[in-house]
Amino acid sequence: MPSIRRSALAAAAMAAALALTATACGPDDGGDAGQSSAPSQGSQDIALPDDLNIGDKLKDLGIDLDEWKNGAWNKWDKDDWLREAGEFINPIIEDLWKPDRMKEAQQPDKPVDEEDIDGDQGVTDPEPTPVTAKQVSAPFSTKVPEAGKVFFDGPEGSMVCSATVVKDPAHPGKSNLVWTAGHCVHAGQGGGWYKNLAFVPSYNDAGKSAAQLENATREELAPKGVWWADWAQTSSQWIDSGAQVGGKGAPYDFAVLHVKPEAGAGGKSLEETVGGALPVEFNAPAVKSIDSITGTGYPAAPPFDGQKMFQCADKPGRLSLQAAQPTMYRIGCTMTAGSSGGGWVATGSDGKPALVSNTSIGPSNATWLAGPHLGPEAKGVYNAVSKKFAGQ
C-alpha cells in the first residue's frame, strides 16, 4: 500500500517567517551549544544558541533584512538554503499571508511503495478499519480552541500543515508554544528550514465553505490573528534522515514552534488569546492501555478542500517502520494531506486530555494515519524551546 506524507502545499499561506535552521544533508548534526548545528537529542535538554538581533543574524549569514523581506527569501539553491539548527530566523513580513495565498496553495503528496513500511521489522498490528473523518461543528474555537494551521513556503510554493497550541512549563497559563510535525518546518535529509512560518489558530472559525470564502477577509480566515514563529526546533533524527517518501524519519517527525503575533495581541499570549493549551504527555501509555485517540486537522487533498476542521477518533494500533526505532501509533482515519502535524489527543496520566502524538504519515488511499510516540527526544525538543524563552 503506498503511503504519503501529510503536509500540504498550503491551501493558502498566511504570515511570513524566515525559517532558516537545521542540518539535513550533513553526516551528523552534532555540535557544541552556540554553534550552527543541532546537538544530539535524548533525555537531556538541548543547548541552543543565544539570541541575537535578527538583522545581525541575517548579516552574519550574508543576507540583508530589507532584501529578504522584498523577496530574497524565495531562493532555494542548495548553497543558499539554511539548514543548521542554529540558523533559524523568522522576521515578520507584514501581510505576506493574504487570503488568496492561503486558499490557493497545493499539496505536495509523494506516494511510496508498500515495502517502505515493513511490518516484519517490529511490532505492527493489522491495518485499522477506516474511520470517516467528521467535521468539527462551528465555531471551531468553542470545540477545539487549541487547533489551527501552520503556513510556510517551500521550493514548490506555499504549503500548509495543521498544529496545536501546547502548554509552556516556563509560562503557566501564558504559552506561546505550538506543536506540529517536523516535516512541516524542515525538509529533512538533503533540505533545510522552510520559510515564512506562521500559525493561524482557529482558521476559518465560522466553518464557511470554499465558495463562501471566495472574497473572505484576512480577519475571517484568521480571527485570532497570525502568529509568526520566532523559533522552531525539530529532532536531529528528522534533520538527518527525514524524507517525504518511504516514511523515513517518521518516528521522530515532531516539532515545536515559539510564536509571536504579527500585529500585536494586546499583551496577551497565544494561550490567553485562543482560550486554552494542551499539556504534552511524554512516554504515553502503551497502545493496549489507550482506549481512544482523537486526531484533529485541516485536510486539504480531495475530497476535502483545507478550509474546515475535521477529527477522527479510534483505538490506536501499532506501526513499526524499523525495529531499532520507536513504534508509532496508528488510527483509522480518512483525513488527507493537510492534516499533517495536527494534534493527537488522549486521556493523560492525570485523567485530563493531553497531546500524545501528531499526524505524520498515511496511505495514498486515505484509510489510516500514523504518528510518533513522544519519548525522550520529543521531550528534549520541547524543553529546549521552553527554556530558550523562559526569561522573556
Side-chain angles (χ1 to χ4, degrees):
M1 174 189 306
S3 75
I4 57 173
R5 181 148 311 276
R6 290 286 173 212
S7 71
L9 264 167
M14 188 171 199
L18 153 71
L20 309 155
T21 330
T23 24
C25 62
D28 69 69
D29 57 349
D32 297 330
Q35 303 275 324
S36 293
S37 57
S40 61
Q41 295 164 350
S43 59
Q44 300 300 313
D45 296 333
I46 304 164
L48 295 175
D50 293 334
D51 283 328
L52 292 173
N53 176 274
I54 287 179
D56 290 340
K57 279 190 174 182
L58 287 170
K59 189 178 297 183
D60 289 344
L61 295 167
I63 301 169
D64 179 85
L65 179 58
D66 290 334
E67 290 181 359
W68 180 274
K69 290 186 175 183
N70 287 327
W73 61 265
N74 198 17
K75 293 181 179 179
W76 301 98
D77 294 338
K78 185 175 181 180
D79 292 340
D80 295 330
W81 196 0
L82 299 175
R83 63 197 70 205
E84 303 295 333
E87 291 176 346
F88 184 87
I89 307 169
N90 207 21
I92 292 174
I93 303 176
E94 190 173 351
D95 294 330
L96 176 68
W97 294 108
K98 299 180 183 298
D100 286 345
R101 195 162 185 257
M102 287 189 284
K103 291 182 293 181
E104 293 172 0
Q106 305 298 313
Q107 316 69 252
D109 299 339
K110 299 180 179 180
V112 296
D113 294 330
E114 184 179 41
E115 54 265 28
D116 287 318
I117 298 179
D118 188 351
D120 292 335
Q121 291 177 313
V123 179
T124 293
D125 293 321
E127 185 174 318
T129 300
V131 172
T132 301
K134 295 182 179 180
Q135 183 182 327
V136 176
S137 58
F140 303 145
S141 59
T142 63
K143 306 298 188 302
V144 195
E146 306 89 359
K149 284 190 174 190
V150 170
F151 292 96
F152 53 100
D153 283 303
E156 293 114 340
S158 298
M159 298 188 278
V160 66
C161 277
S162 301
T164 307
V165 183
V166 294
K167 291 187 177 297
D168 182 355
H171 297 285
K174 297 183 178 182
S175 176
N176 286 308
L177 301 185
V178 174
W179 193 283
T180 189
H183 75 265
C184 299
V185 302
H186 193 284
Q189 186 180 31
W193 293 96
Y194 292 124
K195 303 174 183 179
N196 304 326
L197 280 86
F199 176 63
V200 178
S202 300
Y203 175 85
N204 183 27
D205 194 30
K208 293 183 179 180
S209 67
Q212 292 172 317
L213 293 173
E214 184 174 353
N215 297 310
T217 64
R218 202 166 188 245
E219 289 68 29
E220 287 179 273
L221 294 180
K224 307 286 185 179
V226 177
W227 297 71
W228 289 62
D230 53 4
W231 191 258
Q233 187 79 13
T234 186
S235 68
S236 59
Q237 291 89 346
W238 173 257
I239 289 173
D240 282 344
S241 63
Q244 289 195 352
V245 297
K248 294 180 179 179
Y252 302 99
D253 186 16
F254 44 76
V256 179
L257 308 178
H258 183 277
V259 300
K260 60 183 179 182
E262 175 180 322
K268 290 185 177 181
S269 66
L270 176 61
E271 181 177 358
E272 291 171 305
T273 299
V274 304
L278 287 173
V280 183
E281 186 90 355
F282 299 104
N283 293 317
V287 163
K288 63 181 181 180
S289 301
I290 302 177
D291 292 330
S292 179
I293 285 180
T294 298
T296 301
Y298 283 85
F304 307 96
D305 61 14
Q307 305 308 312
K308 297 178 182 180
M309 186 188 297
F310 284 81
Q311 289 184 321
C312 289
D314 192 21
K315 182 173 178 57
R318 295 166 292 183
L319 175 66
S320 177
L321 302 181
Q322 294 184 16
Q325 295 183 346
T327 299
M328 302 177 72
Y329 294 122
R330 179 162 65 166
I331 61 173
C333 186
T334 60
M335 284 196 287
T336 60
S339 60
S340 277
W344 288 27
V345 178
T347 301
S349 56
D350 61 357
K352 298 179 181 179
L355 185 138
V356 298
S357 187
N358 57 262
T359 297
S360 175
I361 57 174
S364 58
N365 62 351
T367 57
W368 54 262
L369 297 175
H373 182 279
L374 305 181
E377 296 85 5
K379 187 175 182 179
V381 170
Y382 175 74
N383 285 345
V385 179
S386 176
K387 289 186 177 182
K388 180 177 176 66
F389 294 89
Q392 299 182 27

